PDB file of all heavy atoms in Angstrom:
ATOM      1  N   GLY E 226     -26.431  18.961  25.229  1.00 96.00           N
ATOM      2  CA  GLY E 226     -25.326  18.446  24.424  1.00 96.00           C
ATOM      3  C   GLY E 226     -25.495  16.978  24.056  1.00 96.00           C
ATOM      4  O   GLY E 226     -26.333  16.276  24.615  1.00 96.00           O
ATOM      5  N   VAL E 227     -24.664  16.528  23.125  1.00 97.00           N
ATOM      6  CA  VAL E 227     -24.727  15.137  22.673  1.00 97.00           C
ATOM      7  C   VAL E 227     -23.651  14.294  23.359  1.00 97.00           C
ATOM      8  O   VAL E 227     -22.672  14.824  23.882  1.00 97.00           O
ATOM      9  CB  VAL E 227     -24.558  15.040  21.136  1.00 97.00           C
ATOM     10  CG1 VAL E 227     -25.707  15.735  20.429  1.00 97.00           C
ATOM     11  CG2 VAL E 227     -23.211  15.615  20.687  1.00 97.00           C
ATOM     12  N   ASP E 228     -23.853  12.986  23.304  1.00 98.00           N
ATOM     13  CA  ASP E 228     -22.880  12.056  23.894  1.00 98.00           C
ATOM     14  C   ASP E 228     -21.661  11.866  22.988  1.00 98.00           C
ATOM     15  O   ASP E 228     -20.561  11.603  23.465  1.00 98.00           O
ATOM     16  CB  ASP E 228     -23.521  10.677  24.130  1.00 98.00           C
ATOM     17  CG  ASP E 228     -24.677  10.740  25.114  1.00 98.00           C
ATOM     18  OD1 ASP E 228     -24.666  11.636  25.975  1.00 98.00           O
ATOM     19  OD2 ASP E 228     -25.583   9.896  25.006  1.00 98.00           O
ATOM     20  N   ALA E 229     -21.893  11.970  21.659  1.00 98.00           N
ATOM     21  CA  ALA E 229     -20.796  11.725  20.721  1.00 98.00           C
ATOM     22  C   ALA E 229     -21.003  12.525  19.440  1.00 98.00           C
ATOM     23  O   ALA E 229     -22.137  12.752  19.009  1.00 98.00           O
ATOM     24  CB  ALA E 229     -20.692  10.240  20.394  1.00 98.00           C
ATOM     25  N   VAL E 230     -19.892  12.930  18.868  1.00 98.00           N
ATOM     26  CA  VAL E 230     -19.879  13.521  17.524  1.00 98.00           C
ATOM     27  C   VAL E 230     -19.172  12.518  16.631  1.00 98.00           C
ATOM     28  O   VAL E 230     -18.052  12.083  16.919  1.00 98.00           O
ATOM     29  CB  VAL E 230     -19.158  14.877  17.493  1.00 98.00           C
ATOM     30  CG1 VAL E 230     -19.047  15.391  16.060  1.00 98.00           C
ATOM     31  CG2 VAL E 230     -19.881  15.888  18.377  1.00 98.00           C
ATOM     32  N   LEU E 231     -19.829  12.129  15.550  1.00 98.00           N
ATOM     33  CA  LEU E 231     -19.343  11.066  14.675  1.00 98.00           C
ATOM     34  C   LEU E 231     -18.811  11.661  13.377  1.00 98.00           C
ATOM     35  O   LEU E 231     -19.561  12.295  12.625  1.00 98.00           O
ATOM     36  CB  LEU E 231     -20.496  10.093  14.393  1.00 98.00           C
ATOM     37  CG  LEU E 231     -20.232   8.887  13.501  1.00 98.00           C
ATOM     38  CD1 LEU E 231     -19.070   8.060  14.027  1.00 98.00           C
ATOM     39  CD2 LEU E 231     -21.495   8.043  13.408  1.00 98.00           C
ATOM     40  N   MET E 232     -17.523  11.467  13.121  1.00 98.00           N
ATOM     41  CA  MET E 232     -16.892  12.060  11.934  1.00 98.00           C
ATOM     42  C   MET E 232     -16.063  11.003  11.209  1.00 98.00           C
ATOM     43  O   MET E 232     -14.888  10.818  11.495  1.00 98.00           O
ATOM     44  CB  MET E 232     -16.017  13.248  12.333  1.00 98.00           C
ATOM     45  CG  MET E 232     -16.799  14.356  13.014  1.00 98.00           C
ATOM     46  SD  MET E 232     -15.794  15.808  13.415  1.00 98.00           S
ATOM     47  CE  MET E 232     -15.461  16.436  11.780  1.00 98.00           C
ATOM     48  N   LEU E 233     -16.713  10.307  10.293  1.00 96.00           N
ATOM     49  CA  LEU E 233     -16.022   9.305   9.483  1.00 96.00           C
ATOM     50  C   LEU E 233     -15.788   9.886   8.093  1.00 96.00           C
ATOM     51  O   LEU E 233     -16.726  10.076   7.326  1.00 96.00           O
ATOM     52  CB  LEU E 233     -16.849   8.013   9.401  1.00 96.00           C
ATOM     53  CG  LEU E 233     -16.269   6.904   8.526  1.00 96.00           C
ATOM     54  CD1 LEU E 233     -14.880   6.492   9.004  1.00 96.00           C
ATOM     55  CD2 LEU E 233     -17.202   5.698   8.485  1.00 96.00           C
ATOM     56  N   HIS E 234     -14.529  10.177   7.785  1.00 95.00           N
ATOM     57  CA  HIS E 234     -14.139  10.780   6.508  1.00 95.00           C
ATOM     58  C   HIS E 234     -14.915  12.069   6.258  1.00 95.00           C
ATOM     59  O   HIS E 234     -15.562  12.254   5.225  1.00 95.00           O
ATOM     60  CB  HIS E 234     -14.342   9.795   5.358  1.00 95.00           C
ATOM     61  CG  HIS E 234     -13.564   8.525   5.519  1.00 95.00           C
ATOM     62  ND1 HIS E 234     -13.937   7.336   4.956  1.00 95.00           N
ATOM     63  CD2 HIS E 234     -12.430   8.259   6.212  1.00 95.00           C
ATOM     64  CE1 HIS E 234     -13.068   6.394   5.281  1.00 95.00           C
ATOM     65  NE2 HIS E 234     -12.141   6.944   6.045  1.00 95.00           N
ATOM     66  N   THR E 235     -14.838  12.953   7.245  1.00 95.00           N
ATOM     67  CA  THR E 235     -15.615  14.197   7.229  1.00 95.00           C
ATOM     68  C   THR E 235     -14.739  15.442   7.106  1.00 95.00           C
ATOM     69  O   THR E 235     -15.123  16.410   6.451  1.00 95.00           O
ATOM     70  CB  THR E 235     -16.440  14.312   8.528  1.00 95.00           C
ATOM     71  OG1 THR E 235     -17.303  13.176   8.637  1.00 95.00           O
ATOM     72  CG2 THR E 235     -17.277  15.577   8.552  1.00 95.00           C
ATOM     73  N   LEU E 236     -13.571  15.423   7.716  1.00 95.00           N
ATOM     74  CA  LEU E 236     -12.776  16.647   7.864  1.00 95.00           C
ATOM     75  C   LEU E 236     -12.431  17.316   6.540  1.00 95.00           C
ATOM     76  O   LEU E 236     -12.403  18.544   6.450  1.00 95.00           O
ATOM     77  CB  LEU E 236     -11.480  16.348   8.639  1.00 95.00           C
ATOM     78  CG  LEU E 236     -11.661  16.033  10.123  1.00 95.00           C
ATOM     79  CD1 LEU E 236     -10.357  15.498  10.703  1.00 95.00           C
ATOM     80  CD2 LEU E 236     -12.113  17.269  10.873  1.00 95.00           C
ATOM     81  N   TYR E 237     -12.180  16.509   5.490  1.00 92.00           N
ATOM     82  CA  TYR E 237     -11.736  17.146   4.248  1.00 92.00           C
ATOM     83  C   TYR E 237     -12.869  17.799   3.466  1.00 92.00           C
ATOM     84  O   TYR E 237     -12.644  18.446   2.451  1.00 92.00           O
ATOM     85  CB  TYR E 237     -10.945  16.202   3.345  1.00 92.00           C
ATOM     86  CG  TYR E 237     -11.426  14.797   3.155  1.00 92.00           C
ATOM     87  CD1 TYR E 237     -12.770  14.448   3.141  1.00 92.00           C
ATOM     88  CD2 TYR E 237     -10.490  13.772   2.973  1.00 92.00           C
ATOM     89  CE1 TYR E 237     -13.172  13.143   2.951  1.00 92.00           C
ATOM     90  CE2 TYR E 237     -10.890  12.455   2.771  1.00 92.00           C
ATOM     91  CZ  TYR E 237     -12.236  12.151   2.762  1.00 92.00           C
ATOM     92  OH  TYR E 237     -12.633  10.858   2.566  1.00 92.00           O
ATOM     93  N   TRP E 238     -14.120  17.661   3.941  1.00 92.00           N
ATOM     94  CA  TRP E 238     -15.243  18.345   3.294  1.00 92.00           C
ATOM     95  C   TRP E 238     -15.474  19.735   3.878  1.00 92.00           C
ATOM     96  O   TRP E 238     -16.252  20.526   3.319  1.00 92.00           O
ATOM     97  CB  TRP E 238     -16.528  17.521   3.448  1.00 92.00           C
ATOM     98  CG  TRP E 238     -16.447  16.147   2.873  1.00 92.00           C
ATOM     99  CD1 TRP E 238     -16.419  14.973   3.558  1.00 92.00           C
ATOM    100  CD2 TRP E 238     -16.369  15.780   1.485  1.00 92.00           C
ATOM    101  NE1 TRP E 238     -16.332  13.900   2.699  1.00 92.00           N
ATOM    102  CE2 TRP E 238     -16.303  14.366   1.417  1.00 92.00           C
ATOM    103  CE3 TRP E 238     -16.356  16.514   0.296  1.00 92.00           C
ATOM    104  CZ2 TRP E 238     -16.226  13.675   0.222  1.00 92.00           C
ATOM    105  CZ3 TRP E 238     -16.278  15.821  -0.902  1.00 92.00           C
ATOM    106  CH2 TRP E 238     -16.212  14.419  -0.936  1.00 92.00           C
ATOM    107  N   MET E 239     -14.864  20.046   5.019  1.00 94.00           N
ATOM    108  CA  MET E 239     -15.113  21.320   5.705  1.00 94.00           C
ATOM    109  C   MET E 239     -14.292  22.446   5.089  1.00 94.00           C
ATOM    110  O   MET E 239     -13.102  22.291   4.828  1.00 94.00           O
ATOM    111  CB  MET E 239     -14.768  21.191   7.191  1.00 94.00           C
ATOM    112  CG  MET E 239     -15.674  20.242   7.952  1.00 94.00           C
ATOM    113  SD  MET E 239     -15.192  20.103   9.697  1.00 94.00           S
ATOM    114  CE  MET E 239     -16.653  19.293  10.363  1.00 94.00           C
ATOM    115  N   LEU E 240     -14.923  23.593   4.902  1.00 91.00           N
ATOM    116  CA  LEU E 240     -14.217  24.747   4.345  1.00 91.00           C
ATOM    117  C   LEU E 240     -13.137  25.233   5.299  1.00 91.00           C
ATOM    118  O   LEU E 240     -12.015  25.516   4.899  1.00 91.00           O
ATOM    119  CB  LEU E 240     -15.208  25.879   4.048  1.00 91.00           C
ATOM    120  CG  LEU E 240     -16.058  25.724   2.786  1.00 91.00           C
ATOM    121  CD1 LEU E 240     -17.114  26.817   2.727  1.00 91.00           C
ATOM    122  CD2 LEU E 240     -15.178  25.776   1.538  1.00 91.00           C
ATOM    123  N   ASP E 241     -13.471  25.350   6.575  1.00 95.00           N
ATOM    124  CA  ASP E 241     -12.536  25.818   7.596  1.00 95.00           C
ATOM    125  C   ASP E 241     -12.588  24.837   8.772  1.00 95.00           C
ATOM    126  O   ASP E 241     -13.322  25.053   9.739  1.00 95.00           O
ATOM    127  CB  ASP E 241     -12.928  27.230   8.056  1.00 95.00           C
ATOM    128  CG  ASP E 241     -11.888  27.856   8.982  1.00 95.00           C
ATOM    129  OD1 ASP E 241     -11.093  27.115   9.581  1.00 95.00           O
ATOM    130  OD2 ASP E 241     -11.890  29.100   9.111  1.00 95.00           O
ATOM    131  N   PRO E 242     -11.832  23.729   8.691  1.00 96.00           N
ATOM    132  CA  PRO E 242     -11.954  22.671   9.697  1.00 96.00           C
ATOM    133  C   PRO E 242     -11.737  23.121  11.138  1.00 96.00           C
ATOM    134  O   PRO E 242     -12.492  22.715  12.025  1.00 96.00           O
ATOM    135  CB  PRO E 242     -10.879  21.662   9.262  1.00 96.00           C
ATOM    136  CG  PRO E 242     -10.685  21.906   7.810  1.00 96.00           C
ATOM    137  CD  PRO E 242     -10.873  23.378   7.626  1.00 96.00           C
ATOM    138  N   VAL E 243     -10.725  23.952  11.399  1.00 97.00           N
ATOM    139  CA  VAL E 243     -10.449  24.365  12.781  1.00 97.00           C
ATOM    140  C   VAL E 243     -11.619  25.166  13.344  1.00 97.00           C
ATOM    141  O   VAL E 243     -12.074  24.931  14.472  1.00 97.00           O
ATOM    142  CB  VAL E 243      -9.141  25.170  12.864  1.00 97.00           C
ATOM    143  CG1 VAL E 243      -8.957  25.757  14.263  1.00 97.00           C
ATOM    144  CG2 VAL E 243      -7.947  24.295  12.514  1.00 97.00           C
ATOM    145  N   LYS E 244     -12.122  26.099  12.548  1.00 97.00           N
ATOM    146  CA  LYS E 244     -13.260  26.905  13.000  1.00 97.00           C
ATOM    147  C   LYS E 244     -14.484  26.040  13.248  1.00 97.00           C
ATOM    148  O   LYS E 244     -15.167  26.178  14.278  1.00 97.00           O
ATOM    149  CB  LYS E 244     -13.583  27.977  11.957  1.00 97.00           C
ATOM    150  CG  LYS E 244     -14.753  28.875  12.349  1.00 97.00           C
ATOM    151  CD  LYS E 244     -15.022  29.920  11.276  1.00 97.00           C
ATOM    152  CE  LYS E 244     -16.216  30.797  11.659  1.00 97.00           C
ATOM    153  NZ  LYS E 244     -16.506  31.802  10.616  1.00 97.00           N
ATOM    154  N   GLU E 245     -14.770  25.121  12.330  1.00 97.00           N
ATOM    155  CA  GLU E 245     -15.968  24.287  12.477  1.00 97.00           C
ATOM    156  C   GLU E 245     -15.825  23.286  13.611  1.00 97.00           C
ATOM    157  O   GLU E 245     -16.789  23.007  14.325  1.00 97.00           O
ATOM    158  CB  GLU E 245     -16.278  23.600  11.145  1.00 97.00           C
ATOM    159  CG  GLU E 245     -16.654  24.609  10.048  1.00 97.00           C
ATOM    160  CD  GLU E 245     -17.247  23.973   8.810  1.00 97.00           C
ATOM    161  OE1 GLU E 245     -18.220  23.212   8.934  1.00 97.00           O
ATOM    162  OE2 GLU E 245     -16.727  24.242   7.710  1.00 97.00           O
ATOM    163  N   LEU E 246     -14.629  22.751  13.799  1.00 98.00           N
ATOM    164  CA  LEU E 246     -14.395  21.854  14.932  1.00 98.00           C
ATOM    165  C   LEU E 246     -14.576  22.587  16.263  1.00 98.00           C
ATOM    166  O   LEU E 246     -15.088  22.027  17.233  1.00 98.00           O
ATOM    167  CB  LEU E 246     -12.996  21.252  14.851  1.00 98.00           C
ATOM    168  CG  LEU E 246     -12.800  20.140  13.824  1.00 98.00           C
ATOM    169  CD1 LEU E 246     -11.317  19.891  13.580  1.00 98.00           C
ATOM    170  CD2 LEU E 246     -13.492  18.851  14.260  1.00 98.00           C
ATOM    171  N   THR E 247     -14.140  23.831  16.306  1.00 98.00           N
ATOM    172  CA  THR E 247     -14.314  24.652  17.512  1.00 98.00           C
ATOM    173  C   THR E 247     -15.794  24.831  17.813  1.00 98.00           C
ATOM    174  O   THR E 247     -16.232  24.709  18.963  1.00 98.00           O
ATOM    175  CB  THR E 247     -13.631  26.020  17.332  1.00 98.00           C
ATOM    176  OG1 THR E 247     -12.244  25.820  17.052  1.00 98.00           O
ATOM    177  CG2 THR E 247     -13.774  26.857  18.594  1.00 98.00           C
ATOM    178  N   CYS E 248     -16.583  25.103  16.789  1.00 97.00           N
ATOM    179  CA  CYS E 248     -18.029  25.236  16.969  1.00 97.00           C
ATOM    180  C   CYS E 248     -18.658  23.927  17.427  1.00 97.00           C
ATOM    181  O   CYS E 248     -19.548  23.914  18.284  1.00 97.00           O
ATOM    182  CB  CYS E 248     -18.681  25.685  15.659  1.00 97.00           C
ATOM    183  SG  CYS E 248     -18.304  27.388  15.168  1.00 97.00           S
ATOM    184  N   ILE E 249     -18.197  22.823  16.876  1.00 98.00           N
ATOM    185  CA  ILE E 249     -18.758  21.516  17.210  1.00 98.00           C
ATOM    186  C   ILE E 249     -18.602  21.199  18.700  1.00 98.00           C
ATOM    187  O   ILE E 249     -19.465  20.569  19.313  1.00 98.00           O
ATOM    188  CB  ILE E 249     -18.118  20.421  16.339  1.00 98.00           C
ATOM    189  CG1 ILE E 249     -18.678  20.499  14.908  1.00 98.00           C
ATOM    190  CG2 ILE E 249     -18.341  19.022  16.914  1.00 98.00           C
ATOM    191  CD1 ILE E 249     -17.945  19.637  13.896  1.00 98.00           C
ATOM    192  N   SER E 250     -17.517  21.668  19.301  1.00 97.00           N
ATOM    193  CA  SER E 250     -17.302  21.404  20.735  1.00 97.00           C
ATOM    194  C   SER E 250     -18.424  22.004  21.587  1.00 97.00           C
ATOM    195  O   SER E 250     -18.667  21.553  22.713  1.00 97.00           O
ATOM    196  CB  SER E 250     -15.946  21.966  21.179  1.00 97.00           C
ATOM    197  OG  SER E 250     -15.939  23.389  21.121  1.00 97.00           O
ATOM    198  N   GLN E 251     -19.133  22.997  21.044  1.00 96.00           N
ATOM    199  CA  GLN E 251     -20.209  23.658  21.794  1.00 96.00           C
ATOM    200  C   GLN E 251     -21.468  22.807  21.926  1.00 96.00           C
ATOM    201  O   GLN E 251     -22.351  23.121  22.712  1.00 96.00           O
ATOM    202  CB  GLN E 251     -20.544  24.995  21.119  1.00 96.00           C
ATOM    203  CG  GLN E 251     -19.396  25.982  21.121  1.00 96.00           C
ATOM    204  CD  GLN E 251     -19.645  27.187  20.223  1.00 96.00           C
ATOM    205  OE1 GLN E 251     -20.768  27.425  19.769  1.00 96.00           O
ATOM    206  NE2 GLN E 251     -18.597  27.960  19.971  1.00 96.00           N
ATOM    207  N   ILE E 252     -21.542  21.738  21.132  1.00 97.00           N
ATOM    208  CA  ILE E 252     -22.707  20.854  21.246  1.00 97.00           C
ATOM    209  C   ILE E 252     -22.360  19.569  21.988  1.00 97.00           C
ATOM    210  O   ILE E 252     -23.197  18.691  22.161  1.00 97.00           O
ATOM    211  CB  ILE E 252     -23.276  20.512  19.854  1.00 97.00           C
ATOM    212  CG1 ILE E 252     -24.726  20.032  19.973  1.00 97.00           C
ATOM    213  CG2 ILE E 252     -22.420  19.474  19.123  1.00 97.00           C
ATOM    214  CD1 ILE E 252     -25.424  19.801  18.660  1.00 97.00           C
TER     215      ILE E 252
END
Side-chain angles (χ1 to χ4, degrees):
V227 296
D228 298 332
V230 175
L231 180 55
M232 299 183 69
L233 177 58
H234 301 154
T235 302
L236 290 169
Y237 43 34
W238 301 110
M239 294 179 166
L240 283 172
D241 188 339
V243 172
K244 180 180 179 181
E245 295 192 53
L246 284 165
T247 302
C248 290
I249 285 170
S250 67
Q251 297 169 13
I252 200 174

